[in-house]
Amino acid sequence: MDSVTSHPQRRPFSIKLWPPSQNTRQMLVERMTNNLSDPTIFTRKYGSLSREEATKNAQQIEETAFGLANQHYEKEPDGDGSSAVQLYAKECSQLILDILKKGPSTEDKEVLKPKDVFSPDETFFDISKGQRAFIKAEEAEELLRPLKEPGNYYNKICFSNRSFGTDAALVAAPILSSLKGQLKEVDLSDFVAGRPEEEALEVMKIFSAALEGSVLKSLNLSDNALGEKGVRAFGELLKSQTSLEALYLMNDGISEEAARAVCELVPSTDLLTVLHFHNNMTGDEGAIAISEVVKRSPLLEDFRCCSTRVGSDGGIALSEALGTCTYLRKLDLRDNMFGLEAGIALSKALSFHANLTEVYLSYLNLEDKEAIAIADALKSTAPLLEVLEIAGNDITAEAAPALAACVAAKQHLTKLNLAENELKDDGAIQISKALEESHDKLKEVDVSSNSLRRVGARTLAQSVVHKPDLKLLNVDGNFISDEGIDELKDVFKKFSDKLAPLDENDPDGGDDDDQESGDGSEGSEEELESKLEKLDVKEEK
C-alpha cells in the first residue's frame, strides 16, 4: 500500500477554517470550564463541577472532539473545513452535557471515558426501505441479526414501514434491551400498520418495556394511530426519558385525552428542541394540554402543530406557551382555526422570537387585524427570517402596508407565500415595492389566487425577475387579461422556467366594477401607475 499521499493543492480557498489555532482551542477550553462550573440552565438541573474538575474535563472534551473533527477533515481533503468546525462544536456541546449528567467524579474515578459517550464508528440501522410488509418472527430474527453482533456501534435505529406482530416484537425485545446503553435515536413510526388494535397495543407495550431506561435524544412514534391507549402503551418508555431533544407524534390520532396523557407521561422536556405534533385531532382542550409541554420546554427550537383542529382557546394557550420559548427557530401552525383573539395572542408571542428563520401561519382564520399585528411583531424581530407563509387568511389590501414593511425588513427572505388572500392590485403593488430593494436570496414568491389583474401581476414580475436565486413566481389563479399575460411572458422571456403556469388564470373573472387597467377603465390604470411611482416601502432603521 502506498504511503500517505500528499495534497499540495489541498486548499484553494483564501480562508482556512480548519484546524483551529492553539489559542482558539485554549479559549474554547476556558469557555467549557465556565459552562461546567458556573450557574446555567444545565448546571442548575444536574449540578456544577468544581473549577479544578471542570478544567480537567474541559481539556479532555476538547481533545476528544478535536480528534474526531480532525479525522472527519482528513476524509474530506478538498473541503474548506466548515463541516469539521461544526462537528467540533457539536461534539463539545454533547460531551459537556454528558459530563454534567454523570455528576462530580470521585478521586478514583476517571475524568472522562470518551468511548462511553462517543464512538467514531456510530452506525444507523434502518429496515424501513422497500415496500411496507408484515414481519414474522423468523424474518425478524434474520433482519435484526446485525444488532446482536458483539461490539457493534449502532446508536440509531429505524423500524418504520415494517409491521411488527406480537411474535416479531418478542424477538426484537431482548435485542433492543441489550442496546439500551448505546441507543440515542429510535424511530418506531408506522411499525404496527394493519394490526388489530389489541395486538398493536401489545406490541407497543413490548417495545416500551424493552427500551425503558434508554437515554434517547430522539424518539419518533408517528403514524401509529396511537390515541390515548397507544400513548399509555408507551408509558414505561416515555416516563423513563429525561434527555429527549426531539419528539415526533405526527398523524397519531392524538385526541384531547391522548394529549393529556402525553403531558402526563413525558415528565422531562428541559432539553427538548424539536416537538412535531401535526395532523392529529387534538382540538382546544388537547392543545391546552400540549401547551403545558411547551411551557416546560425552554430550549424548543422547532415546533410543528398544524392540522390539529385547534380553535381560539387552544390557540391562545399555545401562543402564550410559545412566548416562553425564546430559542424558537421554526414555527408551523398551519391549518387551524385560531381567529382574532388567538391571532393577537400569537402576535404578542412572536415579538419574543429573535431567532426565527421559518414561520408558517397559513389557513389560521386570520384576517386583516390579526395579519397586521403579526406583521408588526415580525418586523421588529427575527432579523434572519427566511420563510414567511401566511396564505389563505382573507387578508386584503388593508393589511398590505404592514406586510410590505415587514417584508422590506427581511433581507434574508427566501420564500414568501401570500396565496389565497384578497390583496388585489393595490396590495400586490405594495408588496412588490418591498421586494425591489435587495432581497438577493429570494427564491420563491406565491401570490396566486389574490384577485390580481394586469398591473399588480406585472409589477410583481418586474420586482423579482432579476433576483439572482429566484426559482419561481406564482401568480396563477388571478384575473389577468390576455394582454397582461403577454406582458408577464415578456418580462420573463429570458427566464420562462421561473414563471409558474397560468392554467387557472381567468382573464374574464372578477367584479365588473373592479376591472383592471387596459380593459375599458383608463382611470384605474392611471391611478395604479401613479401608486407605483409614489409608493416607497423601505426597511425602518
Side-chain angles (χ1 to χ4, degrees), residues 10-11 15-21 24-25 28 62 65-74 79-89 92:
R10 176 181 189 134
R11 293 287 182 273
I15 298 178
K16 187 177 180 180
L17 301 178
W18 189 265
S21 67
T24 298
R25 294 180 65 183
L28 180 59
E62 192 281 333
F66 178 86
L68 169 67
N70 199 55
Q71 182 182 47
H72 173 82
Y73 175 75
E74 292 298 332
D80 63 0
S82 59
S83 61
V85 171
Q86 291 174 358
L87 184 59
Y88 181 50
C92 283

Side-chain angles (χ1 to χ4, degrees), residues 100-119:
L100 288 174
K101 288 179 182 177
K102 289 183 176 182
S105 64
T106 58
E107 290 184 0
D108 59 347
K109 198 175 177 183
E110 290 184 29
V111 174
L112 176 67
K113 294 181 180 179
K115 290 185 179 179
D116 289 345
V117 295
F118 175 80
S119 167

Side-chain angles (χ1 to χ4, degrees), residues 270-282:
D270 289 348
L271 304 180
L272 202 67
T273 60
V274 179
L275 177 58
H276 282 196
F277 194 77
H278 71 272
N279 198 23
N280 286 299
M281 50 185 187
T282 311

Side-chain angles (χ1 to χ4, degrees), residues 100-343:
L100 288 174
K101 288 179 182 177
K102 289 183 176 182
S105 64
T106 58
E107 290 184 0
D108 59 347
K109 198 175 177 183
E110 290 184 29
V111 174
L112 176 67
K113 294 181 180 179
K115 290 185 179 179
D116 289 345
V117 295
F118 175 80
S119 167
D121 297 316
E122 290 177 345
T123 306
F124 178 34
F125 183 79
D126 185 3
I127 63 172
S128 67
K129 309 304 180 184
Q131 296 182 344
R132 295 175 68 183
F134 279 36
I135 291 183
K136 296 181 179 180
E138 297 79 7
E139 184 182 1
E141 186 73 42
E142 183 62 31
L143 200 59
L144 305 183
R145 188 179 302 279
L147 294 176
K148 298 171 65 176
E149 294 178 0
N152 75 77
Y153 288 105
Y154 291 116
N155 65 2
K156 305 174 186 178
I157 60 171
C158 178
F159 286 1
S160 181
N161 205 39
R162 300 296 182 95
S163 181
F164 283 77
T166 304
D167 56 348
L170 291 172
V171 170
I175 299 174
L176 293 177
S177 183
S178 70
L179 296 174
K180 278 198 279 193
Q182 65 192 61
L183 286 178
K184 298 299 181 184
E185 299 182 19
V186 171
D187 184 346
L188 299 179
S189 60
D190 192 26
F191 85 124
V192 289
R195 301 290 180 178
E197 179 181 302
E198 184 176 352
E199 183 180 24
L201 291 173
E202 181 62 25
V203 170
M204 294 174 190
K205 291 176 182 178
I206 292 171
F207 273 80
S208 176
L211 291 166
E212 180 189 9
S214 54
V215 185
L216 301 181
K217 295 180 183 178
S218 175
L219 177 61
N220 190 344
L221 301 178
S222 302
D223 302 308
N224 284 313
L226 293 177
E228 183 185 8
K229 292 180 181 179
V231 172
R232 295 196 178 280
F234 277 112
E236 292 183 65
L237 172 59
L238 292 172
K239 286 188 292 185
S240 70
Q241 297 308 301
T242 59
S243 302
L244 273 183
E245 297 177 12
L247 177 61
Y248 303 90
L249 296 168
M250 305 172 287
N251 193 30
D252 271 332
I254 303 291
S255 61
E256 170 187 331
E257 295 78 12
R260 288 174 177 164
V262 171
C263 183
E264 170 194 338
L265 296 172
V266 184
S268 177
T269 55
D270 289 348
L271 304 180
L272 202 67
T273 60
V274 179
L275 177 58
H276 282 196
F277 194 77
H278 71 272
N279 198 23
N280 286 299
M281 50 185 187
T282 311
D284 281 345
E285 293 300 321
I288 291 172
I290 295 302
S291 72
E292 293 300 318
V293 179
V294 173
K295 286 179 185 177
R296 304 198 303 254
S297 308
L299 302 182
L300 198 63
E301 297 180 5
D302 182 351
F303 181 60
R304 187 178 184 189
C305 187
C306 51
S307 302
T308 48
R309 306 182 185 180
V310 178
S312 180
D313 291 344
I316 292 172
L318 283 175
S319 297
E320 291 176 349
L322 287 167
T324 66
C325 304
T326 54
Y327 291 96
L328 204 65
R329 296 179 181 276
K330 182 177 179 180
L331 177 62
D332 188 348
L333 298 171
R334 287 174 289 186
D335 191 23
N336 286 298
M337 295 295 290
F338 275 34
L340 175 59
E341 293 184 11

